[in-house]
Amino acid sequence: MRKYSVFAIAREAMRGHKGWEQQWTSPEPRKDYEVLIIGAGGHGLATAYYLAKEHGITDIAVLEKGWLGGGNTGRNTTIIRSNYLYDESAGIYNHALNLWDGLSQDLNYNVMYSPRGVMMLAHNVHDVQVLKRHVHANRLNGVPNDWLTPEEAKEFCPPLNISKQARYPIVGAALQRKGGTARHDAVAWGYARAASARGVHIIQNCEVTAIRRSSNGHVIGVDTNRGPIGAKKIGVVAAGHTSVLMEMAGVRMPLESYPLQALVSEPVKPCFPCVVMSNTVHAYISQSDKGELVIGAGTDQYISYSQTGGLHIINHTLDAICEMFPMFARMKMLRSWGGIVDVTPDRSPILAKTPVPGLYVNCGWGTGGFKATPGSGNVFAHTIANDNPHPINAPFTLERFRTGRLIDEAAAAAVAH
Amino acid sequence: MLLIHCPYCEEARPELEFRNGGEAHIARSTSIADESDEAFEAFFFIRTNPKGLVYERWRHIHGCGRFFNAVRDSVTDKFLHVYKAGEAKVEPSALMANLPEHGAYANVPAAELNAKTPARKRATKDGEA
Ligand SMILES: Cc1cc2nc3c(=O)[nH]c(=O)nc-3n(C[C@H](O)[C@H](O)[C@H](O)COP(=O)(O)OP(=O)(O)OC[C@H]3O[C@@H](n4cnc5c(N)ncnc54)[C@H](O)[C@@H]3O)c2cc1C
Ligand SMILES: [Zn+2]
């Protein structure tokens, strides 16, 4: 792999940009691998990268039914934060946040991580209590999070409407300054390029249709539309399709898959400095470096694999956006789309061994796993390499729904993502 | 937005009048305290979450207020069947056999669907569907 640098740009500028290499190779699948990762989203690619980098395992293939990064990784609104309530969540999301810090250098790929601040709005007494509880819990876990008055919130984000006449007036806000955004495609491409450089095979247009097991139950490989592929260990990292894949190995999951939508506006000059979220009126918004407003809507109420959601869901979010930011009322929306998110009952992910020997699962990130991509891949690689979880993901088991040791972010905050 | 046929009101109404009630035909134990942890987990947390036919509950909350069941294809979001609470579940094979226009929907290339005559009218000729 040729390193990207300012010298490389200068060299290529002289040569008419004819010397840039392909970012990753597309080899024919081998018959056998030590590890198969199913799903080339950010989490799957990061898992392969850290397996190669930190555990010396390079005999890996990442199998992807469509194109790399074409799942939720390429469809999300890229909000990064770690201000969750529980200690376990603080552990894993903050691990990710720390990795975001040096990720562009580590991958030699600009993932455009921009810690511009994530501000969560309170509109009523309940919101104030919930968000303040989060602020305190975060501080106890060493995660800085500040409480702001409406005036301070407006100073941080001038487009905000803090009028007391608003239908849902803003009465305060919690601000995680280290939160922000990153470029989703670059995260997938950067991990793919760095993993490929270490010898990982990335195989696109390769759909897994069955998981094969030996007579003692251990996994031995998969069937795909490009033929059977053998493996000693298999990691399922398939987001909305996890139930479908785990069913192939006879494991029923505590998951439901829902459409979640996002939309972007026409591009405009920089006018929105941070990320703002409101769980109460359900809207979240930031501005991409291309100038588009990036807006996240809610999930539909029914399970679906259609990758499209109802128009009324988007409308509802735009109502909220227009009320909080009246200056956007006449913006035109350019595109909207949906992804299929895998939701657990406690809204916390599962990164764990499964009842099937040699089979591991990383799922349940639901509406909010982009922020965790580096941390999730990092500890999941540890789990696969050692057949044992890393202390950070040890609480995120599949068995917690039997033992009752939930990590109940859902009840804690009713947060969207 | 889905259009949902309520089997009690006997008419199709917009999704906004309804609340989804999750997977159907999950029986609650009559003595929940005596359940094993495994059985409770299966009842309370584990879900089929199929890519294909979903058996689900709906409640016509802003209409007649009643619960009923439906079968929907989770890939096309098309409803195949609605039935009142307490009525028996119709097996997938029986449902598919009775619904020819669903067959016309699945795996037909987009260009075919855009043909001048709608698929349903074309269906009678030389077995084309
Ligand atoms: C609209 C939207 C907005 C979001 N906003 C945010 C946000 O602001 N912040 C945040 O942190 N998170 C957000 N999320 C959630 C986030 O996108 C996901 O949690 C995260 O990207 C999941 O990454 P992944 O790599 O696990 O899954 P994916 O990127 O979905 O990758 C899974 C891959 O598995 C592949 N696959 C499935 N079945 C098979 C098979 N049988 N064989 C081979 N491959 C298969 C799929 O094609 C897919 O590419 C959002 C999600 C959506 C949809
Ligand atoms: Zn009714």
Side-chain angles (χ1 to χ4, degrees):
Chain A
M1 178 181 91
R2 276 229 197 98
K3 223 173 158 236
Y4 291 154
S5 67
V6 63
F7 303 108
I9 294 177
R11 187 185 65 228
E12 290 306 325
M14 315 277 260
R15 296 197 306 189
H17 293 283
K18 287 184 187 134
W20 297 114
E21 295 175 331
Q22 286 216 326
Q23 298 195 16
W24 53 83
T25 57
S26 296
E28 279 301 305
R30 276 201 298 271
K31 269 173 71 184
D32 278 298
Y33 291 91
E34 190 170 341
V35 179
L36 285 181
I37 303 293
I38 305 176
H43 290 238
L45 292 164
T47 305
Y49 170 69
Y50 292 113
L51 272 169
K53 184 188 171 209
E54 296 187 355
H55 304 280
I57 302 174
T58 55
D59 185 16
I60 306 171
V62 186
L63 308 181
E64 167 55 51
K65 76 175 157 100
W67 67 96
L68 161 179
N72 294 346
T73 298
R75 294 165 187 265
N76 83 94
T77 50
T78 77
I79 298 173
I80 296 173
R81 60 188 181 89
S82 66
N83 52 356
Y84 287 73
L85 185 66
Y86 289 110
D87 299 355
E88 295 87 344
S89 314
I92 197 159
Y93 289 106
N94 225 32
H95 181 50
L97 202 61
N98 292 334
L99 286 171
W100 280 113
D101 248 342
L103 194 61
S104 294
Q105 286 72 25
D106 185 27
L107 298 178
N108 180 230
Y109 207 98
N110 187 1
V111 299
M112 295 165 75
Y113 167 50
S114 159
R116 57 184 70 178
V118 171
M119 195 161 75
M120 301 175 84
L121 302 177
H123 301 273
N124 52 43
V125 176
H126 172 78
D127 287 355
V128 172
Q129 290 171 346
V130 168
L131 285 179
K132 281 194 172 168
R133 184 179 176 212
H134 274 71
V135 168
H136 295 310
N138 292 158
R139 287 186 173 173
L140 288 174
N141 276 316
V143 178
N145 196 356
D146 299 327
W147 179 254
L148 305 186
T149 63
E151 292 71 29
E152 289 167 335
K154 182 156 177 81
E155 205 185 318
F156 192 73
C157 182
L160 197 61
N161 173 20
I162 56 167
S163 153
K164 294 197 168 54
Q165 265 60 58
R167 176 74 181 82
Y168 296 98
I170 291 157
V171 296
L175 172 63
Q176 186 181 17
R177 292 177 200 272
K178 232 188 133 188
T181 57
R183 175 147 185 237
H184 49 11
D185 292 331
V187 173
W189 298 338
Y191 273 119
R193 173 169 169 268
S196 178
R198 288 174 185 268
V200 172
H201 282 188
I202 296 162
I203 300 169
Q204 304 183 68
N205 297 312
C206 181
E207 177 166 7
V208 172
T209 52
I211 294 177
R212 296 267 169 233
R213 300 163 66 180
S214 68
S215 53
N216 65 10
H218 201 285
V219 298
I220 50 174
V222 299
D223 287 354
T224 76
N225 58 347
R226 297 175 65 170
I229 303 176
K232 293 195 190 72
K233 294 178 174 180
I234 298 175
V236 173
V237 199
H241 279 77
T242 305
S243 296
V244 177
L245 279 153
M246 294 301 285
E247 181 78 43
M248 296 175 192
V251 182
R252 279 168 60 83
M253 298 293 288
L255 290 173
E256 289 184 305
S257 297
Y258 298 98
L260 178 68
Q261 296 179 82
L263 61 165
V264 292
S265 72
E266 57 191 332
V268 291
K269 287 188 175 167
C271 60
F272 201 81
C274 59
V275 180
V276 174
M277 308 178 53
S278 165
N279 290 316
T280 297
V281 297
H282 205 288
Y284 40 101
I285 178 167
S286 65
Q287 188 176 20
S288 74
D289 290 356
K290 277 192 285 181
E292 304 152 323
L293 299 179
V294 180
I295 298 171
T299 57
D300 285 282
Q301 53 169 332
Y302 48 85
I303 71 166
S304 175
Y305 289 80
S306 63
Q307 282 196 341
T308 49
L311 191 61
H312 61 292
I313 306 278
I314 300 183
N315 265 341
H316 173 79
T317 290
L318 290 179
D319 286 348
I321 295 286
C322 291
E323 172 159 308
M324 289 192 298
F325 309 102
M327 72 183 231
F328 294 145
R330 299 184 65 182
M331 287 282 276
K332 295 186 185 76
M333 294 299 136
L334 269 194
R335 291 180 287 125
S336 72
W337 62 88
I340 300 300
V341 297
D342 47 332
V343 177
T344 59
D346 63 359
R347 304 295 188 272
S348 287
I350 300 166
L351 296 97
K353 298 170 68 167
T354 70
V356 177
L359 185 67
Y360 307 83
V361 70
N362 181 347
C363 67
W365 290 102
T367 59
F370 175 72
K371 60 178 72 67
T373 305
S376 154
N378 188 266
V379 296
F380 194 53
H382 178 105
T383 309
I384 295 177
N386 299 295
D387 192 36
N388 226 347
H390 187 282
I392 289 177
N393 67 310
F396 295 89
T397 62
L398 193 49
E399 288 78 38
R400 71 177 186 267
F401 300 98
R402 183 172 317 151
T403 61
R405 284 205 67 86
L406 304 183
I407 303 160
D408 205 352
E409 291 291 343
V415 283
H417 71 124
Chain B
M1 187 181 313
L2 305 178
L3 257 187
I4 305 176
H5 185 95
C6 172
Y8 295 100
C9 300
E10 296 182 348
E11 80 180 297
R13 305 289 302 171
E15 182 194 332
L16 287 181
E17 294 185 8
F18 298 83
R19 186 73 46 82
N20 184 280
E23 187 168 345
H25 303 294
I26 298 177
R28 187 183 174 87
S29 161
T30 46
S31 57
I32 204 95
D34 300 328
E35 290 285 287
S36 68
D37 287 351
E38 286 72 17
F40 185 78
E41 180 195 23
F43 154 71
F44 204 65
F45 291 124
I46 304 292
R47 292 293 176 264
T48 310
N49 196 24
K51 184 174 185 175
L53 295 196
V54 180
Y55 287 75
E56 65 189 356
R57 301 190 308 161
W58 286 92
R59 186 173 180 206
H60 194 183
I61 191 160
H62 300 299
C64 62
R66 302 183 76 169
F67 276 99
F68 60 93
N69 292 327
V71 190
R72 186 170 50 84
D73 181 339
S74 68
V75 179
T76 60
D77 289 339
K78 219 171 134 81
F79 283 94
L80 302 190
H81 185 46
V82 290
Y83 51 112
K84 294 177 179 167
E87 282 179 10
K89 173 176 174 178
V90 184
E91 290 309 316
S93 51
L95 280 172
M96 298 304 282
N98 289 334
L99 285 164
E101 73 263 51
H102 183 75
Y105 222 80
N107 299 324
V108 175
E112 276 281 292
L113 288 173
N114 287 337
K116 285 202 188 72
T117 356
R120 240 193 271 190
K121 295 210 174 119
R122 280 182 286 134
T124 45
K125 280 201 189 151
D126 44 272
E128 178 202 8

